[in-house]
Amino acid sequence: MKYNHILIRYAELSLKGKNRKEFERKLLDTVRKKLNEFKEVRVNRTFGRMFVELNGENEREVSEKLKEIFGIHSFSPALKVDLEQELIDDAALWAVKDAIPDEDGTFKVTVKRPNKDYPGRSQQLNYHIGSHILRNTQKMTVDVHHPDVEVRVEIRQEAAYILCKTIKGAGGLPVGTAGKVLLMLSGGIDSPVAGYLALKRGVKLEAIHFHSPPFTNDRARQKVEDLARVLTKYGGELKLHIVPFTEAQKEIHQQVPDNYEMTIMRRFMLRISEAVAKKNNALAIVNGESLGQVASQTLDSMHTINEVTNLPVIRPLVTMDKLEVIEIAHRIGTYDLSILPYEDCCTIFLPAQSKTKPNKEKANHYETKIDIDRYVQEAVEGIETVIISGKSSLDEEFHELF
């Protein structure tokens, strides 16, 4: 005997009222795409839940894919059997032994009977199935209050479903239900985590990266592409816009005092990001800033830098400390890539000390020395867009000019 179904429970979708069906359809589409490599798998939706029919596919491998899908609160491997009591008893026994292989633990049985034509009341069936498990195990005991395992049996019109294990899902909302945003993706630890958390709120993600050759090399670019590829595990195919930032950055370095250089550079990045966002119908910009973490991430800095854009700038990490961010980076698989020693453009020309309370009037004054429109336009016109898929081979990437 082995699991033949997986029962999926929704996260926040149950709160969506009249829009619930739209969210469920989007989640169904995402699950089907995610499990597309399992040729025998079939995914079906009923009110309030979703079933994955395994049809012989490996339950553990399918479960690992489901863990990466936003919109899933939890899921459980399940046995579907015909409506015969002997089959239900044996399935319940197998499931509890699978959950507690050494049989040294406690359990309780909970029967739900939407099919009222099935003989016996729920309490009678609880006792009957529990007795069958006790007779056929050596050390298991019943604990109705705090069991190690709850054996859940649901008797429906078409079949009975038996499950014991509950696996936590990614939570959040299905990707694509909350509009599109543009992620400012550097090679550091923070911005990929910000992208992951934005995806959790249901957005469709595109990314922008500022590349300054020869000061930043091809390995730095490859590192960012690899980080973007990790994010495709959670949000699907991703457009990465590579901005040639060398000329603008050199001009800023020459014309702006050292302590304002980071402020002006970030203002330029926001201007370019806004142009790219509008061209690609993104409604907001996302970055990895956390309040007070570095000099350019004080409230004063954010206030001065934000002046140049009318788009919302979303900062998912704004209240987190570095250890919290690192923990998420480890969990989602970006940390080891992020710490590779390839510099991005934010680390070159780095002044000894940046202004922590930059003044908007001074920032505007320093920018009068630079032909802003020219450098922004040249950067935008020189963008290369890379379509990042979940595949690891660069030969399978598709490149196109912006």
Side-chain angles (χ1 to χ4, degrees):
M1 191 175 292
K2 63 181 180 179
Y3 292 115
N4 49 31
H5 282 67
I6 297 177
L7 168 65
I8 294 174
R9 304 176 190 87
Y10 306 149
E12 298 175 47
L13 276 64
S14 59
L15 306 176
K16 292 302 173 184
K18 294 180 180 179
N19 294 324
R20 176 171 173 162
K21 288 185 178 179
E22 179 183 345
F23 281 77
E24 289 183 0
R25 281 195 294 269
K26 187 64 178 178
L27 179 60
L28 178 64
D29 182 56
T30 301
V31 172
R32 284 175 172 166
K33 287 180 179 177
K34 190 73 172 179
L35 301 183
N36 188 52
E37 65 186 84
F38 303 100
K39 301 304 181 185
E40 300 303 319
V41 159
R42 300 293 179 269
V43 186
N44 297 299
R45 175 170 62 96
T46 61
F47 181 77
R49 63 186 59 196
M50 196 176 295
F51 283 103
V52 177
E53 297 178 16
L54 293 170
N55 295 317
E57 296 284 3
N58 187 288
E59 171 263 320
R60 295 184 185 276
E61 292 178 1
V62 173
S63 292
E64 288 302 310
K65 294 292 184 181
L66 292 177
K67 290 177 183 178
E68 299 170 351
I69 300 175
F70 291 119
I72 295 178
H73 171 66
S74 65
F75 58 92
S76 296
L79 290 163
K80 179 184 178 182
V81 299
D82 291 336
L83 293 174
E84 297 179 21
Q85 192 60 52
E86 184 177 348
L87 296 177
I88 295 171
D89 293 345
D90 289 343
L93 176 62
W94 183 90
V96 78
K97 285 184 174 182
D98 179 70
I100 309 178
D102 62 2
E103 300 185 15
D104 188 8
T106 60
F107 74 95
K108 68 179 277 190
V109 178
T110 303
V111 174
K112 292 185 177 179
R113 199 168 51 92
N115 179 359
K116 300 304 181 185
D117 293 330
Y118 190 83
R121 295 182 177 274
S122 295
Q123 288 294 342
Q124 293 172 326
L125 294 170
N126 288 345
Y127 178 80
H128 176 86
I129 296 169
S131 298
H132 180 74
I133 293 172
L134 288 172
R135 286 195 302 270
N136 290 278
T137 56
Q138 298 297 319
K139 295 183 285 186
M140 285 193 182
T141 58
V142 173
D143 183 342
V144 297
H145 299 294
H146 303 288
D148 296 321
V149 169
E150 181 181 5
V151 183
R152 284 165 286 170
V153 179
E154 189 164 323
I155 298 175
R156 291 179 161 263
Q157 294 297 132
E158 75 284 2
Y161 295 87
I162 297 92
L163 47 112
C164 284
K165 298 188 292 188
T166 297
I167 301 168
K168 185 179 180 182
L173 298 172
V175 171
T177 57
K180 186 191 293 185
V181 301
L182 182 68
L183 170 68
M184 298 175 71
L185 182 62
S186 72
I189 295 171
D190 299 332
S191 59
V193 174
Y196 169 84
L197 294 176
L199 286 169
K200 187 174 183 177
R201 300 315 305 155
V203 300
K204 177 64 178 175
L205 202 67
E206 293 192 14
I208 186 169
H209 175 68
F210 294 85
H211 188 49
S212 296
F215 305 109
T216 56
N217 59 31
D218 288 341
R219 288 186 175 182
R221 171 174 167 160
Q222 183 63 56
K223 172 183 173 180
V224 170
E225 291 190 15
D226 289 341
L227 287 168
R229 187 171 294 107
V230 174
L231 291 177
T232 66
K233 289 169 51 180
Y234 308 99
E237 189 176 85
L238 184 152
K239 282 187 178 180
L240 174 62
H241 306 283
I242 309 290
V243 180
F245 199 51
T246 308
E247 295 306 315
Q249 196 163 11
K250 285 164 61 178
E251 182 70 5
I252 293 167
H253 183 62
Q254 292 170 4
Q255 301 295 342
V256 177
D258 285 355
N259 62 345
Y260 265 81
E261 191 172 338
M262 182 62 71
T263 300
I264 303 303
M265 186 181 73
R266 297 293 290 179
R267 282 162 64 103
F268 263 74
M269 287 178 169
L270 268 188
R271 290 183 176 103
I272 295 166
S273 296
E274 180 183 66
V276 174
K278 288 181 176 179
K279 189 166 186 177
N280 289 273
N281 301 312
L283 301 176
I285 296 167
V286 173
N287 67 31
E289 293 177 342
S290 175
L291 188 59
Q293 190 175 115
V294 295
S296 64
Q297 296 179 18
T298 63
L299 277 179
D300 296 88
S301 289
M302 292 177 185
H303 185 64
T304 297
I305 293 167
N306 272 32
E307 182 189 25
V308 302
T309 181
N310 291 318
L311 283 182
V313 179
I314 299 171
R315 298 174 171 89
L317 312 186
V318 70
T319 65
M320 294 186 182
D321 63 39
K322 196 67 174 184
L323 292 179
E324 291 174 301
V325 177
I326 288 173
E327 189 278 326
I328 297 173
H330 276 295
R331 176 158 51 84
I332 67 176
T334 58
Y335 181 79
D336 289 340
L337 288 170
S338 293
I339 62 173
L340 291 174
Y342 308 128
E343 293 184 325
D344 61 38
C345 68
C346 292
T347 58
I348 61 176
F349 305 141
L350 195 64
Q353 186 174 4
S354 293
K355 195 75 173 176
T356 59
K357 295 184 178 181
N359 180 280
K360 286 195 293 185
E361 286 71 26
K362 285 188 177 181
N364 285 309
H365 169 69
Y366 294 138
E367 286 181 344
T368 61
K369 303 176 182 180
I370 303 172
D371 189 343
I372 295 173
D373 291 341
R374 171 196 160 193
Y375 284 102
V376 169
Q377 183 178 349
E378 287 179 355
V380 171
E381 288 176 351
I383 284 175
E384 179 188 4
T385 296
V386 185
I387 308 300
I388 304 291
S389 71
K391 300 181 178 67
S392 60
S393 172
L394 287 179
D395 293 335
E396 297 187 54
E397 299 291 353
F398 174 70
H399 296 255
E400 63 177 340
L401 288 178
F402 184 77

